[in-house]
Amino acid sequence: MAARAVIIGGGVVGCVTAIKLKESGYDVTVVDKSFVGEESSAAGAGIIFPLMPWNYESKVYQLCSGALGFYKNLSEKLINGGYGDPEFIESGMICIEPPDKKEIVQWAKKNNFKINKCFFNSRPSIEFANVAQLNPKKLMISLKHYIEGLGIKLIENCNLKKIQKKSNYLNGWPTDNNDLIEGDIFIITAGAWSSHIINNDKDEIYPVRGQLIKFKKPSIILDKILYSKNFYLLQRKCGSIVAGSTIENVGFDNTTTFQAAKELKEKTINLIPELKEFEPYEQWAGLRPGVKNNIPLIKRDNIHKNIYINSGHYRYGITMAPKSADEILKLIKV
Ligand SMILES: Cc1cc2nc3c(=O)[nH]c(=O)nc-3n(C[C@H](O)[C@H](O)[C@H](O)COP(=O)(O)OP(=O)(O)OC[C@H]3O[C@@H](n4cnc5c(N)ncnc54)[C@H](O)[C@@H]3O)c2cc1C
């Protein structure tokens, strides 16, 4: 009989981990406190690149490597299988007037990453060719159906509680209704809530709110992602333009604010003055699973030998999900 793996949290990290475990022969169940793919993973911008890898420790880019190929391949499977189009586009990205040009050039050389000098509206810029984007909301809807199609069991509306018993081996994880979800291994992929369900990682993962706004189909074509000073603009397949995002430490509050919409619009106009006449028609927020140094926790629990943690992907969880799942798989096989 195949070993039973229980994935706690059905965001992008949980779903991609579930796929990789299923492909390795596990009997996989994904449990979510609400619905699969409706939290941070659906709220993201969908840029497949860690916006400024030259500013981070090399581990961050290492966890992002291979993501473009993974999503290109997954996107084909989702479309061909009739699960939906996650709108994957190899658009590239333009970094406008970067203040850290020297660091970018050094980073690109070291990592063999193709960059080109260019101009955006007469502003000196750098083009990053191998950057892709997708629509996270659409990705999560199609991913949910895809994993069900692979024979992965989904249990929704099931909140798993913090475990109290400190034994070496856990046979079942308690739910709010005092049921037990049985399994041979448990993988915590509960995003910003991960530190709520395990005692010994208290406060290592915390929520960081991000807000985005969207402009309805202006007559502007943005064939590349635009990035400038921690702000980005990108265009969805339908023509809408997405602008983001804020970085706010406000706890588990994912409401949107007037102030954020105002600031994001001002930054938008700075890059595309024509958008001055447009008002954003949609605004939303998500809670990123924050960690102190941008490096997620991918490890076996210190006490329980059959609990693993794959969480804390902060700003780049969509991009890091495939490599993080590979790392968890390696740990399980040790
Ligand atoms: C505004 C914004 C823009 C972003 N842009 C990008 C981007 O362009 N590129 C990129 O790579 N990343 C981006 N990110 C980051 C990325 O979205 C996150 O890192 C990623 O979604 C984290 O995925 P996750 O699966 O860990 O968490 P989540 O998607 O939050 O999923 C966690 C799941 O666990 C469930 N859960 C929690 N507690 C329990 C429990 N006790 N029992 C059962 N289930 C539980 C939740 O219901 C939820 O479904 C962005 C994020 C935001 C907010």
Side-chain angles (χ1 to χ4, degrees):
M1 214 170 71
R4 296 162 305 166
V6 177
I7 313 273
I8 305 169
V12 69
V13 176
C15 290
V16 171
T17 305
I19 293 173
K20 299 235 176 187
L21 280 164
K22 183 74 187 173
E23 286 169 355
S24 297
Y26 284 84
D27 172 3
V28 185
T29 301
V30 175
V31 185
D32 202 284
K33 68 173 171 57
S34 46
F35 293 99
V36 166
E38 294 198 347
E39 291 290 352
S40 182
S41 301
I47 301 168
I48 308 301
F49 189 67
L51 297 168
M52 42 197 156
W54 48 92
N55 283 338
Y56 304 134
E57 286 180 37
S58 56
K59 179 76 183 170
V60 172
Y61 185 60
Q62 191 194 318
L63 282 170
C64 294
S65 63
L68 191 146
F70 174 86
Y71 285 110
K72 185 176 186 174
N73 191 269
L74 178 67
S75 165
E76 278 165 16
K77 285 186 191 163
L78 295 175
I79 294 170
N80 295 339
Y83 297 102
D85 179 4
E87 301 185 356
F88 174 87
I89 314 168
E90 287 179 85
S91 56
M93 179 177 95
I94 294 180
C95 188
I96 301 160
E97 290 179 315
D100 34 16
K101 215 187 273 171
K102 207 171 122 202
E103 286 82 357
I104 296 177
V105 171
Q106 277 171 357
W107 172 84
K109 205 170 166 190
K110 189 173 164 214
N111 291 283
N112 209 9
F113 197 99
K114 203 170 159 228
I115 56 169
N116 298 308
K117 282 186 189 161
C118 65
F119 286 90
F120 177 77
N121 289 347
S122 315
R123 295 155 85 164
S125 305
I126 296 181
E127 184 190 345
F128 292 71
N130 292 320
V131 176
Q133 64 182 79
L134 49 74
N135 183 330
K137 222 174 246 174
K138 297 207 167 171
L139 171 75
M140 292 316 297
I141 293 170
S142 41
L143 204 47
K144 177 174 168 174
H145 298 306
Y146 177 68
I147 66 172
E148 278 186 305
L150 291 179
I152 293 168
K153 193 174 163 200
L154 303 187
I155 305 178
E156 297 186 306
N157 281 313
C158 178
N159 190 43
L160 297 184
K161 289 202 293 202
K162 185 178 251 182
I163 37 167
Q164 301 297 342
K165 219 172 102 197
K166 291 191 175 171
S167 57
N168 275 344
Y169 193 85
L170 191 79
N171 295 312
W173 201 296
T175 73
D176 260 356
N177 300 328
N178 291 325
D179 293 328
L180 274 186
I181 305 287
E182 292 180 358
D184 299 309
I185 57 168
F186 297 85
I187 297 146
I188 300 174
T189 55
W193 298 265
S194 295
S195 290
H196 281 182
I197 55 172
I198 189 132
N199 282 320
N200 40 323
D201 278 326
K202 196 166 176 277
D203 296 333
E204 281 188 293
I205 297 171
Y206 49 89
V208 182
R209 184 168 74 188
Q211 299 191 48
L212 290 156
I213 56 171
K214 191 151 124 187
F215 298 88
K216 205 169 202 166
K217 299 181 190 172
S219 53
I220 290 168
I221 304 289
L222 266 193
D223 55 358
K224 299 204 183 312
I225 300 162
L226 301 182
Y227 174 75
S228 173
K229 300 184 188 98
N230 227 350
F231 172 76
Y232 49 78
L233 283 173
L234 55 87
Q235 193 161 36
R236 297 279 183 236
K237 260 191 181 171
C238 68
S240 313
I241 290 181
V242 174
S245 58
T246 61
I247 297 180
E248 303 163 85
N249 287 301
V250 290
F252 286 91
D253 172 5
N254 69 353
T255 52
T256 55
T257 62
F258 173 75
Q259 185 59 22
K262 189 168 166 273
E263 281 170 18
L264 292 171
K265 180 157 182 200
E266 278 164 13
K267 289 181 182 177
T268 302
I269 297 167
N270 176 37
L271 294 188
I272 308 187
E274 298 96 295
L275 280 172
K276 193 174 177 191
E277 308 311 324
F278 289 80
E279 280 314 311
Y281 80 104
E282 205 182 321
Q283 181 180 5
W284 68 98
L287 298 175
R288 307 177 183 95
V291 277
K292 292 215 169 64
N293 51 5
N294 265 298
I295 300 175
L297 301 179
I298 304 173
K299 60 177 197 176
R300 189 196 292 256
D301 180 50
N302 299 332
I303 297 169
H304 307 87
K305 300 291 175 236
N306 62 337
I307 297 182
Y308 298 83
I309 300 159
N310 185 12
S311 192
H313 295 77
Y314 188 35
R315 297 191 72 183
Y316 307 119
I318 303 171
T319 312
M320 287 177 171
K323 197 55 116 208
S324 305
D326 289 342
E327 294 217 349
I328 278 291
L329 219 67
K330 270 191 227 153
L331 285 176
I332 292 169
K333 285 180 177 164
V334 168

